[in-house]
Amino acid sequence: GRPARLVSLIVADSFTDSLADYSVVPPVYQTQSDALANTVFNALEDYRPAGTFVSVQLGQVQLEPITLSLSFAAGVDAETVANSARAVIVTYINNLDPGVGYTRTQLVQALLSVSGLIITEEDLLNPGNIIKFPEGNRTPTPLQVLRTSLAIVRTSGINTSSP
């Protein structure tokens, strides 16, 4: 018969930098083994309620190269602040759920937490001033999982403010 309920479970393990291949453009991520999905599916037999089917699928990792154009306050260590900004972007994207995308405005808003960056109202209205690549917002398919790393989040053009 038909299951009383249908639940879809997408397995998206934490990003593992060693599975990324940055030598190709665009960078790619190794496909995870179906063994992980099978292990999860078999473990569910002990826990899922009767009549509920759980479809277990592996998330397809889509690596996101990001290019930032940053402006710095006078007197700050631009390299340190830039590295902090890159780390904020990596953390933001790597915490997205499967099938969830981002807008460039969301990335700029995440950068507001980085001390030493200059972000204006104009930047919030026109996030392309800071997020140079990708040129638009990202909307993945339901099974895609967006991820990135410091290796592919880059800065271009360092602008510093004069005291």
Side-chain angles (χ1 to χ4, degrees):
R2 286 184 157 183
R5 290 254 187 199
L6 176 62
V7 176
S8 181
L9 171 68
I10 300 173
V11 178
D13 60 344
S14 60
F15 179 78
T16 305
D17 202 46
S18 63
L19 295 176
D21 181 0
Y22 302 117
S23 65
V24 296
V25 176
V28 294
Y29 195 75
Q30 282 182 356
T31 304
Q32 297 295 308
S33 170
D34 285 331
L36 179 59
N38 289 332
T39 300
V40 170
F41 184 79
N42 291 333
L44 286 171
E45 289 297 320
D46 296 333
Y47 300 100
R48 71 176 176 83
T52 302
F53 177 75
V54 179
S55 171
V56 179
Q57 300 169 328
L58 287 173
Q60 302 160 350
V61 174
Q62 176 72 41
L63 292 177
E64 289 293 298
I66 307 286
T67 303
L68 307 171
S69 179
L70 304 174
S71 296
F72 303 93
V76 301
D77 180 347
E79 185 176 347
T80 300
V81 175
N83 286 336
S84 294
R86 292 171 57 229
V88 163
I89 296 298
V90 168
T91 300
Y92 183 87
I93 291 176
N94 287 351
N95 283 322
L96 293 172
D97 289 333
V100 175
Y102 62 86
T103 65
R104 294 190 303 169
T105 298
Q106 289 170 322
L107 296 182
V108 172
Q109 288 171 337
L111 290 172
L112 289 171
S113 68
V114 180
S115 180
L117 278 183
I118 297 174
I119 299 176
T120 65
E121 283 293 322
E122 175 67 23
D123 295 329
L124 290 169
L125 294 173
N126 296 303
N129 294 346
I130 294 177
I131 312 298
K132 295 299 184 183
F133 186 85
E135 293 181 356
N137 301 327
R138 290 285 286 129
T139 306
T141 64
L143 289 180
Q144 282 183 321
V145 183
L146 301 180
R147 295 295 181 254
T148 195
S149 76
L150 289 173
I152 56 176
V153 175
R154 297 186 168 93
T155 57
S156 71
I158 306 265
N159 306 309
T160 55
S161 175
S162 301

